[in-house]
């Protein structure tokens, strides 16, 4: 680590005030604090010293997302070869590399656009680069269909960073989850591309891999089939593993569960929020099943669409979710229940999870307010104060 620190120490004068690269000071600071834990200390006030800062937390979330991302790449290739009828002759690496090459441009566009705006914004304001987009930059490509055009993704990322994060003050100040906002922007601006019941599962061949299929080739997702009253073609095993059409990172419950274990063991995500999302969704799904309002078994909601992904990686966002412990239970329960209500009662939008989290973000401060007020009232009563 000392060698890396020496490299940054030698470069620092060029980026400081008066240096020839002063215009890129914020960028230098961002790379330095990402590579090394800052050793700056506060001069006043009472502070807690901790080696874990927000960049390290964000990096751990990215690691937790890796299983879902890697499986999503494989599934993109799998769906391509399956649709073309050549799956039996394709090797594992052909399938994975095809998916990797199809997904990689979306990840690159997301980071280039999002981080580019954040770098420019930080330099313009004379502030440090904020690290929140490390996570949003990888989540956004994972919650969209593989056929979403790159220019459309770039618009969504720009909208998310400018109007959802920076205009509110940057990381830690945003009311809505940036990835959710990007998905909502795409859904309402380009509904034909983001319906949730149809996905592009195949494209032209890439470097000789895959099979050329007609433009606009789509397949119905299992969730979309259920919304139409049709039994899904996929087996329960395929739904659990994730070998079904869907958004890139949302199909594999197993891969998402691995990420959940990582987040819970490291203490980054709240198990209260995560658990209550599934409880709320399960109870509401069971209620609709008993009332005969849907032909979907209640727990099928967990393995279809973006329910599991949203519960693990997006509802638990510490910035936009509830901060109080009791509030986390209420917040998660509302999200889970609302997602199922939207799925069952709104045939035009069979997904529901992203919209539920969006509304959950909206009411999270209100939930925390009433929880805190209730605690204050209880303490005043215990102290004999009216």
């Amino acid at each position: 680590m000392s060698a890396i620190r020496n490299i940054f120490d030698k470069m620092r004068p060029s980026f400081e005030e008066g240096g020839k690269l002063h215009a890129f000071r914020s960028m230098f600071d961002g790379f330095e604090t990402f590579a090394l834990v800052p050793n700056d200390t506060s001069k006043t006030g009472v502070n807690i010293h901790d080696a874990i800062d927000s960049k390290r937390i964000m990096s751990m979330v990215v690691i937790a997302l890796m299983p879902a991302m890697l499986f999503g790449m494989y599934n993109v290739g799998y769906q391509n070869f399956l649709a073309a009828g050549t799956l039996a002759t394709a090797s594992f690496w052909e399938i994975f590399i095809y998916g990797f090459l199809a997904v990689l441009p979306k990840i690159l566009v997301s980071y280039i656009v999002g981080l580019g705006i954040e770098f420019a914004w930080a330099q313009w304001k004379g502030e440090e680069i904020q690290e929140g987009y490390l996570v949003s930059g990888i989540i956004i490509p994972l919650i969209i269909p593989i056929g979403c055009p790159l220019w459309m993704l770039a618009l969504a990322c720009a909208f998310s960073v400018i109007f959802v994060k920076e205009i509110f003050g940057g990381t830690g100040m945003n009311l809505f989850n940036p990835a959710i906002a990007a998905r909502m922007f795409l859904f309402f601006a380009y509904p034909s591309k983001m319906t949730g019941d149809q996905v592009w599962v195949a494209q032209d061949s890439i470097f000789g891999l895959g099979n050329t299929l007609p433009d606009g080739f789509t397949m119905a997702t299992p969730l979309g089939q259920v919304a139409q009253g049709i039994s899904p073609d996929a087996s329960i095993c395929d739904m659990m593993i994730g070998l079904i059409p869907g958004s890139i990172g949302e199909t594999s419950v197993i891969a998402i569960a691995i990420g959940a274990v990582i987040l819970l063991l490291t203490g980054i995500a709240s198990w209260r929020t995560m658990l209550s999302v599934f409880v709320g969704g399960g109870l509401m799904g069971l209620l609709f099943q008993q009332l005969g309002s849907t032909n979907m078994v209640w727990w099928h909601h967990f393995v279809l669409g973006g329910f599991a992904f949203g519960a693990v990686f997006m509802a638990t966002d510490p910035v936009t979710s509830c901060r109080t412990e009791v509030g986390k239970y209420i917040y998660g329960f509302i999200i889970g229940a609302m997602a199922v209500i939207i799925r069952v009662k709104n045939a035009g939008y069979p997904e529901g999870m992203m919209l539920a989290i969006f509304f959950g973000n909206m009411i999270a401060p209100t939930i925390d307010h009433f929880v805190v007020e209730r605690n204050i009232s209880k303490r005043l009563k215990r102290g004999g104060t009216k």
Side-chain angles (χ1 to χ4, degrees), residues 258-279:
I258 294 173
V261 171
I262 294 174
L263 294 180
L264 294 175
L265 290 179
T266 55
I268 292 175
S270 169
W271 65 266
R272 294 174 177 84
T273 302
M274 204 179 294
L275 175 64
S276 56
V277 171
F278 286 101
V279 171

Side-chain angles (χ1 to χ4, degrees), residues 168-183:
F168 284 96
T171 301
M173 304 297 292
N174 49 292
L175 176 62
F176 299 103
N177 183 293
I180 291 291
R183 172 67 184 254

Side-chain angles (χ1 to χ4, degrees), residues 82-95:
L82 178 64
T86 57
L87 182 62
T89 60
S91 68
F92 170 86
W93 288 110
E94 285 179 320
I95 295 172

Side-chain angles (χ1 to χ4, degrees), residues 52-74:
I52 300 296
D53 63 1
S54 55
K55 282 187 175 64
R56 256 43 65 175
I57 292 175
M58 296 298 175
S59 298
M60 187 58 66
V61 178
V62 171
I63 292 173
L65 284 162
M66 286 296 106
M69 184 192 73
L70 293 174
F71 185 88
M73 291 176 173
Y74 176 82

Side-chain angles (χ1 to χ4, degrees), residues 347-365:
Y349 186 46
E351 174 50 63
M353 190 59 179
M354 300 304 159
L355 189 60
I357 297 176
F358 185 83
F359 282 114
N361 290 168
M362 187 184 300
I363 64 174

Side-chain angles (χ1 to χ4, degrees), residues 85-327:
T86 57
L87 182 62
T89 60
S91 68
F92 170 86
W93 288 110
E94 285 179 320
I95 295 172
F96 177 80
I97 293 174
Y98 177 89
F100 172 81
L101 294 174
V103 174
L104 182 61
K106 290 177 168 48
I107 296 176
L108 292 177
V109 166
S110 175
Y111 274 119
I112 290 171
V113 173
L115 288 180
I117 293 174
E118 289 211 343
F119 284 7
W121 195 286
Q123 190 63 39
W124 173 52
K125 299 285 287 185
E127 300 173 347
E128 295 181 358
I129 292 174
Q130 298 169 349
E131 56 283 339
Y133 200 78
L134 288 174
V135 172
S136 299
I138 194 170
I139 287 183
I140 292 174
L142 296 185
I143 60 176
I144 63 172
I146 188 61
C148 179
L150 295 179
W151 66 267
M152 200 180 291
L153 174 61
L155 281 179
C157 292
F159 172 85
S160 175
V161 173
I162 296 173
F163 294 103
V164 179
K165 279 189 61 180
E166 299 300 347
I167 207 168
F168 284 96
T171 301
M173 304 297 292
N174 49 292
L175 176 62
F176 299 103
N177 183 293
I180 291 291
R183 172 67 184 254
M184 298 302 296
F185 172 85
L186 288 172
F187 175 75
F188 288 110
Y190 308 100
S192 63
K193 301 286 187 179
M194 301 290 293
T195 58
D197 60 346
Q198 298 283 332
V199 294
W200 279 253
V201 297
Q203 297 174 317
D204 292 341
S205 61
I206 302 176
F207 297 121
L209 298 173
N211 302 271
T212 303
L213 295 171
D215 291 338
F217 183 87
T218 61
M219 287 184 64
T221 65
L223 189 60
Q225 292 175 328
V226 171
Q228 298 170 13
I230 304 172
S231 298
D233 296 331
S235 65
I236 298 299
C237 181
D238 284 344
M239 293 178 190
M240 293 290 295
I241 296 173
L243 296 175
I244 56 176
S247 296
I248 297 169
E250 296 179 349
T251 62
S252 177
V253 176
I254 295 175
I256 293 169
I258 294 173
V261 171
I262 294 174
L263 294 180
L264 294 175
L265 290 179
T266 55
I268 292 175
S270 169
W271 65 266
R272 294 174 177 84
T273 302
M274 204 179 294
L275 175 64
S276 56
V277 171
F278 286 101
V279 171
L283 290 178
M284 188 57 64
L286 182 60
L287 176 62
F288 280 128
Q289 183 183 344
Q290 294 299 317
L291 293 175
S293 301
T294 178
N295 60 347
M296 183 188 296
V297 181
W298 65 272
W299 59 269
H300 283 184
H301 286 284
F302 301 162
V303 298
L304 293 177
F307 193 99
F309 189 93
V312 171
F313 295 111
M314 307 183 82
T316 57
D317 175 18
V319 174
T320 57
S321 65
C322 284
R323 311 292 179 89
T324 59
E325 299 305 315
V326 174

